[in-house]
Amino acid sequence: MEANKGILLESGTNELEIVEFGIGKNKFGINVIKVKEIINPVPITVVPHSHANVEGIIELRGEVLPVVNVADALGFPPSATPEQDKFIVAEFNQQKVVFHVHTVTQIHRISWSQIEKPSDMYQGLESQIIGVIKLNSEMLLLLDFEKIVVEINPESGINIQQVKKLGSRQNSDKRILIAEDSPLLRKLLFDTLSEAGFKYLEFYENGLDAIGYLESLVESGKAVTEEVQVVITDIEMPQMDGHHLTRRIKENSELSVLPVIIFSSLITDSLRHKGQMVGADAQISKPEIAELVKLIDRFVL
């Protein structure tokens, strides 16, 4: 089954498509944009001393890809019917990974506004979830696949050493607004951008909160460019995604002067046009934090 990329032609509509999959009796979702294809299981070559959640490797059309057992990663028991399991071939953070799941059922088209941020009250799984989707009296959990992969391979995450290699830098009084829903990434961005000399960092957990703040500046009559010099946004966020946020900024005559940098695991050659369609000034793939710092320099110096 090839994932259908053509349904959402327009960018910035605050909609997405979710592939629903099952682990045991639980239902989860992955953004269609991340999915290259869904295949039946193929023989896996076990790699000695690999991470406990990595089953091994497979060859797919000449590429050698790691297979992550999602049930293991979530602490769930193995499949009761392994012959019916599925492999989701995904691409993000400039890498391809195969996720071994128990079932793949259907694709849902929804709005980011239907996705609720997980509550701090949840125990256990909360750290692996980036959103909760209510669908027909059922709940779908949107998994944080980047976090699952970074826990297996920390080298694939944001690396503060990249920024240190840029050398000693002047402290900057430029004000940066950052929309990022992952607490882990907010901390990493705070640490790395602080290391790079940026002292004034304003974080928002989603695009809705960020645009609310920016529009309140306009309504208050303040000079927007004195309060914010550059906006950095993720794409996947509950309530309002980064493409829609960018579009709202660029369509507002008072806000459109702000440079918007999209910093996301979803920046690939085939998806870059989505950011261009909504007017993003630049797009950088996670985890290239040093490139992000250089871009900020270009826009704010």
Side-chain angles (χ1 to χ4, degrees), residues 33 56 129 194 196 217 225:
I33 284 180
I129 300 169
S194 298
L217 290 179
T225 51

Side-chain angles (χ1 to χ4, degrees), residues 153-192:
N153 176 22
E155 291 297 309
S156 66
I158 286 175
N159 184 346
I160 197 168
Q161 297 304 322
Q162 290 182 346
V163 172
K164 288 183 174 173
K165 285 178 186 171
L166 295 176
S168 59
R169 301 162 53 79
Q170 293 275 320
N171 276 348
S172 170
D173 59 358
K174 301 300 182 183
R175 296 174 182 271
I176 302 173
L177 184 152
I178 301 157
E180 168 61 67
D181 66 311
S182 162
L184 174 75
L185 274 163
R186 283 200 299 275
K187 183 178 186 315
L188 283 168
L189 282 168
F190 177 82
D191 290 347
T192 46

